[in-house]
Amino acid sequence: DLDLANPTTPVIVNLIYALNAICKHFGNDFLLTFAPETHFVQQAYGYYGTTCDGCDLRCGAYLPVLYAMRDRMSWLQVQYYNSGVINAPEGPQTCGTEDFVVYLAKMLADGFPIKDGADYLGTSHKLKGPKNFPALRQDQIVLGVPSVTGSAGAGTLNASAYISIMNKLRQMGYDIRGFMTWSINWDKHYNYEWSNPIRSYINSLNNGTA
């Protein structure tokens, strides 16, 4: 979709329609969240629609959905693991580092330009709509991470690294919503090595309401 504000791909159009219908049915208390991979969101900064002629057309494919639901979305928990290198305004970011999470989360809080496919595929791929993905509210941004190092593939970090990441974001002036984790059963298996320090850290912020 070359126009984020007016997508035409049926699967995207129908998904937006369905999400709006579900939200309307259940009312304002219904929580609408998304958990896409970095490939479908921040990857659009470096490539949108494809990485090269004939390659994966799904780069940034979540953006039209997020754009349409940005005012109704409760939060976005991009998966900050199992990712390749993603370009950010600060340069290429390698999964499995603190900077990878910091700078990709920062992109959501600041908004970011979308790479125009015309730059590498010709004018038939030129963006027709917004050329920037708008900033989200900081309370809509959640860090999506696994609970146990190595339990979800490549690029996982331990709890102390995630606390360091949150501290770095806060020092930069960002007060994002918090963490979302997968594999909480593995956290229990390993004696809550993720949730105990994370919970203690959150309790130290804003009287535990962060």
Side-chain angles (χ1 to χ4, degrees):
D1 279 296
L2 299 177
D3 186 346
L4 296 187
N6 296 286
T8 58
T9 302
V11 68
I12 293 176
V13 173
N14 292 334
L15 177 57
I16 293 170
Y17 176 86
L19 290 172
N20 277 312
I22 290 169
C23 289
K24 182 178 180 180
H25 175 79
F26 287 105
N28 293 334
D29 290 337
F30 181 74
L31 297 178
L32 177 65
T33 72
F34 297 92
E37 299 174 37
T38 56
H39 179 82
F40 301 115
V41 184
Q42 291 97 332
Q43 177 77 313
Y45 176 79
Y47 304 99
Y48 179 67
T50 182
T51 54
C52 64
D53 196 3
C55 290
D56 196 331
L57 296 174
R58 300 172 300 161
C59 294
Y62 243 88
L63 294 188
V65 179
L66 299 177
Y67 187 91
M69 306 305 298
R70 64 193 184 282
D71 294 329
R72 182 57 183 82
M73 177 172 59
S74 303
W75 64 77
L76 170 65
Q77 53 217 22
V78 174
Q79 301 178 28
Y80 293 112
Y81 63 96
N82 281 354
S83 172
V85 175
I86 302 292
N87 290 319
E90 292 78 10
Q93 303 300 319
T94 302
C95 186
T97 65
E98 291 186 15
D99 281 353
F100 178 86
V101 184
V102 169
Y103 290 127
L104 267 61
K106 181 176 177 290
M107 289 175 69
L108 301 178
D110 293 345
F112 59 92
I114 301 163
K115 186 69 171 178
D116 197 324
D119 292 347
Y120 49 95
L121 291 178
T123 56
S124 63
H125 291 263
K126 187 172 182 61
L127 289 175
K128 300 174 183 178
K131 299 186 186 307
N132 291 276
F133 181 73
L136 299 178
R137 299 193 319 268
Q138 293 185 25
D139 66 289
Q140 291 178 306
I141 302 170
V142 171
L143 303 182
V145 300
S147 61
V148 179
T149 303
S151 66
T156 59
L157 300 168
N158 59 29
S160 62
Y162 291 126
I163 290 171
S164 174
I165 287 165
M166 188 66 79
N167 281 331
K168 288 178 180 178
L169 286 166
R170 290 174 64 84
Q171 289 165 6
M172 296 164 69
Y174 300 101
D175 189 15
I176 66 174
R177 186 164 189 144
F179 300 90
M180 179 274 181
T181 189
W182 283 266
S183 307
I184 200 66
N185 54 313
W186 279 105
D187 185 52
K188 179 180 180 180
H189 180 77
Y190 287 104
N191 199 31
Y192 304 102
E193 66 179 27
W194 187 89
S195 57
N196 280 341
I198 294 292
R199 181 73 258 176
S200 295
Y201 172 74
I202 290 175
N203 286 344
S204 72
L205 303 175
N206 305 321
N207 297 317
T209 60

